[in-house]
C-alpha cells in the first residue's frame, strides 16, 4: 500500500486494499469495496467488442438473421479463476450506443455499466475499460444496459464462468443458453416489443433456441457425473426446467452453491426461473445407450431443448449422491439488526417527472438519461416510482438510501398479475422467505416473484448507486426500475 503513497487513485486504493486481507475478505470491519475484492489479484486483459454477425436461427436452409454478439461469437464464453481480476477493453462496433453490465458480479460501482448512474453510454466506435474482480465462483453472464430489448433481443449477451479450484470433479460439463427470438419467416425481426406484451406478461419470441440452435444432442459417458449450467438469457420468458431419464439435483442458483436439492423434491419436479436467472444441475448419466432430456415444461407444448445420450464407459452404476459445491462465501446479512423496507411491484399510477431529492451539486441531480436507454411508454412502477420513459429523462429519486456495511431486509410484493424476476445490481442477496413457501433459502442476484407473492431478501449493502429492476426487459424499460444509494 505504501508504494502508492498519498497519490492513491481510487483504483490503486482498491487494489492495494485487496492485497491486505488474505482470508479476511469477508471481515465485517472492512469496507464493502474491500469485501468484494480478491485476496490475490492476478490481472489480465481481455478485449471485448460488440458487433453484428449472421446466424442461421431458422435452420441451415433458411435465411440468416443479423444478430448482435460479442467478438463474433453468439453467447461469447469467458472463464475466470476465482480471485482473478480482469480488465475488459470494451469496443463498441455497433451503430448505436451500448455499455457492458456483468450481471451478478459484486464489484466497484464505477464498472457496473449503468448509463448515467455509473458511466456515460459508450457511443459507436467508443471504448470503455471495465476492471472486474471475480471473487464469487459460479455461472454468470454479461449484457448491455441500454436499449436492452433491442440489443439483448438481437442476441447481445455473453457467458461468464468463474471457476473454483475447490469444485468437485465432474466428468463433463455443458453450458446451455436459452433464448427465444422474434423472427419473421425471412429471418428479419418482428417488433421487439408490443404494447400488449410490454404492459402485460412481455412480448414473447416464437423461435426458441439453446446456444443459438433449435435443440442440442449431446453426449456424456454412461454413469458419469455431469454439470449442466443453464442460463435464461431470454428477454421475457419464465421457464420451468426439468430433467427426465436421470437422477438430477439443483446445486447452484445464480452461480451460488446451495445444499443440493434433488429435482424430484422440488414442487412439480421443476425449477421455475425467469430472464437473467441461472441454475447449475448435477445430472447422473444412465447406462450406455439411454438418454436424458432437459426441457422447459411450463407451456403445454414442452420444449425439450437438450438430449444427453450416455456413451459406453468404464464407470459403474452406483447410487446417486449429489456433489455439493463448496459453500458460497458471501457477506452474511445480520437479520436481527437488519433494517426492513417493502417495495411493491405495480402498474404505473403516475408517470410524472419528480425531483431527485439529491443535493444540487450531485452530478445525478440534473443528469439526463440517454433517450436510447429508456422505453417509450410507462406501464410499471416500483412503489409508485417509475424509471423515466419517453422524454421524461431525468434520474428519479432513489428508492432507498442505505449505509454501506449495514444489513437490509427488503420485502418485495408483487401487486400485479404477472411474474417478475427482480434483480439488484452489485450484491448477492439471501432469499430468506417467500409467502408461497416455494423458495429454498439461497443466495441469488435475481429472484422470481410470482403474482400475489411476497419474497423477502436480505443483504449487506455495498457502496454505490445500484439499480433494482425487473429483468423482463420490457418491464424494466417501461418503468419497473429504481435504484438504491448506498453511502
Ligand atoms: Cu442483468 Cu440490470 O441487469
Ligand atoms: Cu417484470
Amino acid at each position: 500500500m505504501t508504494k502508492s503513497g498519498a497519490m492513491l487513485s481510487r483504483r490503486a486504493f482498491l487494489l492495494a486494499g485487496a492485497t491486505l486481507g488474505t482470508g479476511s475478505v469477508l471481515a465485517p470491519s472492512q469496507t464493502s469495496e474491500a469485501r468484494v475484492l480478491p485476496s490475490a489479484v492476478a490481472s489480465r486483459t481481455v478485449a471485448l467488442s460488440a458487433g453484428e454477425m449472421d446466424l442461421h436461427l431458422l435452420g441451415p436452409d433458411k435465411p440468416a438473421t443479423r444478430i448482435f454478439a460479442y467478438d463474433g461469437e453468439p453467447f461469447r464464453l469467458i472463464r475466470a479463476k476465482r480471485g482473478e481480476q480482469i480488465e475488459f477493453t470494451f469496443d463498441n462496433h455497433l451503430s448505436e450506443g451500448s455499455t457492458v453490465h456483468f450481471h451478478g458480479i459484486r464489484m466497484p460501482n464505477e464498472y457496473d455499466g449503468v448509463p448515467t448512474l455509473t458511466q456515460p453510454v459508450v457511443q459507436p466506435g467508443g471504448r470503455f475499460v471495465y476492471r472486474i474482480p471475480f471473487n464469487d465462483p459460479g455461472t454468470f453472464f454479461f449484457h448491455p444496459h441500454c436499449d436492452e430489448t433491442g440489443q439483448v433481443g438481437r442476441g447481445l449477451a455473453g457467458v461468464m464462468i468463474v471457476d473454483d479450484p475447490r469444485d468437485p470433479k465432474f466428468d463433463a460439463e455443458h453450458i446451455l443458453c436459452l433464448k427465444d427470438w422474434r423472427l419473421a419467416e425471412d429471418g428479419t425481426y418482428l417488433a421487439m416489443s408490443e404494447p400488449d406484451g410490454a404492459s402485460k406478461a412481455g412480448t414473447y419470441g416464437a423461435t426458441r433456441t439453446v446456444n443459438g440452435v433449435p435443440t442440442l444432442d449431446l453426449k456424456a459417458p454412461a454413469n458419469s457425473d455431469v454439470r449442466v449450467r443453464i442460463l435464461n438469457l431470454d428477454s421475457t420468458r419464465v421457464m420451468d426446467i426439468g430433467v427426465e431419464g436421470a437422477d438430477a439435483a439443483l446445486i447452484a442458483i445464480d452461480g451460488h452453491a446451495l445444499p443440493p436439492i434433488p429435482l424430484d423434491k422440488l414442487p412439480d419436479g421443476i425449477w421455475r426461473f425467469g430472464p437473467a436467472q441461472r441454475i447449475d444441475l448435477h445430472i447422473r448419466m444412465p447406462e450406455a445407450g439411454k438418454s436424458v432430456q432437459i426441457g422447459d415444461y411450463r407451456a403445454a407444448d414442452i420444449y425439450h431443448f437438450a438430449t444427453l445420450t450416455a456413451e459406453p464407459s468404464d464407470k459403474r452404476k452406483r447410487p446417486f449422491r449429489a456433489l455439493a459445491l463448496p459453500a458460497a462465501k458471501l457477506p452474511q446479512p445480520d437479520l436481527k439488526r437488519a433494517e426492513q423496507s417493502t417495495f411493491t411491484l405495480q402498474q404505473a399510477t403516475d408517470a410524472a417527472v419528480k425531483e431527485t431529492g439529491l443535493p444540487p451539486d450531485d452530478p445525478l441531480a440534473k443528469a439526463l438519461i440517454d433517450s436510447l436507454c429508456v422505453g417509450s411508454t410507462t406501464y410499471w412502477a416500483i412503489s409508485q416510482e417509475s424509471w423515466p420513459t419517453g422524454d421524461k429523462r431525468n434520474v428519479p429519486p432513489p428508492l432507498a438510501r442505505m449505509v454501506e456495511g449495514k444489513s437490509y431486509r427488503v420485502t418485495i410484493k408483487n401487486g400485479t398479475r404477472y411474474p417478475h424476476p427482480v434483480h439488484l445490481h452489485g450484491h448477492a442477496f439471501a432469499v430468506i422467505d417467500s409467502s408461497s413457501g416455494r423458495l429454498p433459502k439461497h443466495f441469488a442476484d435475481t429472484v422470481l416473484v410470482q403474482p400475489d407473492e411476497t419474497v423477502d431478501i436480505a443483504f449487506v449493502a455495498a457502496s454505490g448507486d445500484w439499480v433494482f429492476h425487473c429483468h423482463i426487459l420490457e418491464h424494466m424499460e417501461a418503468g419497473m426500475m429504481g435504484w438504491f444509494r448506498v453511502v
Side-chain angles (χ1 to χ4, degrees):
M1 199 151 178
T2 46
K3 62 175 182 275
S4 313
M7 299 291 287
L8 280 179
S9 69
R10 180 167 153 85
R11 163 162 150 75
F13 172 74
L14 294 173
L15 291 175
T19 59
L20 296 175
T22 0
S24 65
V25 280
L26 298 176
S29 60
Q30 292 186 306
T31 67
S32 64
E33 275 113 336
R35 234 187 333 263
V36 302
L37 279 161
S39 47
V41 175
S43 217
R44 82 180 144 109
T45 304
V46 169
L48 193 64
S49 72
E52 297 186 16
M53 63 179 287
D54 285 332
L55 194 65
H56 284 268
L57 290 165
L58 290 171
D61 317 321
K62 300 272 177 57
T65 299
R66 197 80 185 145
I67 71 156
F68 288 2
Y70 293 107
D71 304 301
E73 181 187 325
F75 312 116
R76 154 128 207 229
L77 170 65
I78 297 173
R79 297 192 92 111
K81 281 193 207 65
R82 176 176 154 263
E84 188 177 28
Q85 169 161 297
I86 299 182
E87 183 171 295
F88 294 92
T89 311
F90 169 63
D91 285 303
N92 183 7
H93 296 154
L94 296 170
S95 55
E96 60 177 61
S98 196
T99 62
V100 187
H101 168 58
F102 290 84
H103 180 114
I105 306 293
R106 298 184 300 126
M107 64 167 92
N109 189 236
E110 65 196 289
Y111 302 123
D112 194 39
V114 178
T116 314
L117 235 53
T118 72
Q119 70 164 96
V121 171
V122 185
Q123 297 301 334
R127 169 175 284 190
F128 192 89
V129 177
Y130 296 89
R131 296 184 182 92
I132 313 285
F134 295 100
N135 297 303
D136 303 331
T139 307
F140 299 93
F141 75 115
F142 52 99
H143 62 80
H145 220 285
C146 182
D147 183 20
E148 287 192 60
T149 50
Q151 295 182 9
V152 179
R154 284 170 177 75
L156 193 59
V159 179
M160 187 75 231
I161 304 284
V162 184
D163 289 306
D164 189 334
R166 304 169 306 163
D167 277 354
K169 274 258 165 295
F170 288 89
D171 301 300
E173 180 193 81
H174 291 292
I175 301 170
L176 306 177
C177 298
L178 296 166
K179 174 176 163 44
D180 307 334
W181 307 76
R182 303 240 335 126
L183 298 181
E185 274 171 27
D186 64 356
T188 60
Y189 292 102
L190 303 171
M192 289 294 167
S193 175
E194 305 274 7
D196 197 50
S199 63
K200 294 179 181 160
T203 308
Y204 284 73
T207 306
R208 304 204 63 180
T209 62
V210 55
N211 299 353
V213 297
T215 56
L216 281 173
D217 279 312
L218 305 166
K219 303 206 181 329
N223 303 317
S224 69
D225 293 308
V226 183
R227 181 174 188 168
V228 180
R229 303 176 189 255
I230 307 177
L231 298 91
N232 184 338
L233 299 187
D234 195 48
S235 307
T236 312
R237 193 185 292 269
V238 174
M239 308 182 197
D240 286 354
I241 303 299
V243 172
E244 282 173 84
D247 285 315
L250 179 64
I251 57 172
I253 298 176
D254 288 355
H256 306 298
L258 77 166
I261 307 176
L263 282 196
D264 53 18
K265 294 266 152 54
L266 288 170
D268 303 319
I270 53 93
W271 179 255
R272 176 165 297 171
F273 74 171
Q277 297 185 280
R278 294 90 60 208
I279 51 173
D280 285 38
L281 300 179
H282 171 190
I283 294 179
R284 167 66 61 74
M285 291 300 291
E287 293 152 53
K290 296 203 166 155
S291 59
V292 183
Q293 303 260 13
I294 313 176
D296 169 14
Y297 295 80
R298 187 150 167 88
D301 187 11
I302 298 166
Y303 173 44
H304 283 121
F305 52 85
T307 305
L308 283 164
T309 304
E311 292 193 302
S313 82
D314 50 13
K315 295 200 177 282
R316 276 194 286 129
K317 194 171 155 70
R318 62 214 182 280
F320 177 63
R321 269 195 63 222
L323 292 170
L325 301 173
K329 271 197 190 160
L330 297 163
Q332 300 285 331
D334 176 348
L335 294 181
K336 290 212 183 69
R337 295 230 216 108
E339 195 176 298
Q340 196 273 344
S341 45
T342 301
F343 295 103
T344 305
L345 311 174
Q346 56 195 183
Q347 285 187 290
T349 46
D350 168 23
V353 180
K354 298 219 175 90
E355 288 296 316
T356 59
L358 298 173
D361 59 345
D362 189 297
L364 292 183
K366 290 198 182 63
L368 277 187
I369 305 166
D370 193 293
S371 61
L372 178 68
C373 307
V374 300
S376 54
T377 318
T378 304
Y379 295 115
W380 303 105
I382 302 177
S383 297
Q384 277 153 47
E385 292 286 354
S386 295
W387 195 255
T389 58
D391 43 14
K392 308 180 190 86
R393 291 190 276 123
N394 58 338
V395 177
L399 288 172
R401 291 161 190 275
M402 299 176 169
V403 177
E404 176 186 13
K406 268 191 67 171
S407 293
Y408 292 85
R409 177 181 187 129
V410 167
T411 302
I412 309 167
K413 266 190 160 162
N414 186 345
T416 78
R417 290 161 51 212
Y418 308 98
H420 301 283
V422 178
H423 172 44
L424 171 61
H425 280 214
H427 294 75
F429 51 73
V431 175
I432 50 179
D433 202 8
S434 60
S435 59
S436 66
R438 181 183 58 95
L439 296 172
K441 285 202 171 51
H442 66 281
F443 278 100
D445 51 57
T446 308
V447 68
L448 188 69
V449 189
Q450 312 233 51
D452 294 323
E453 192 180 28
T454 297
V455 171
D456 279 45
I457 64 171
F459 54 89
V460 180
S463 104
D465 293 335
W466 306 105
V467 284
F468 175 70
H469 63 84
C470 177
H471 222 289
I472 290 179
L473 302 178
E474 290 169 288
H475 290 179
M476 172 184 103
E477 289 177 352
M480 203 178 274
M481 174 154 86
W483 60 293
F484 297 159
R485 165 155 285 187
V486 182
V487 290

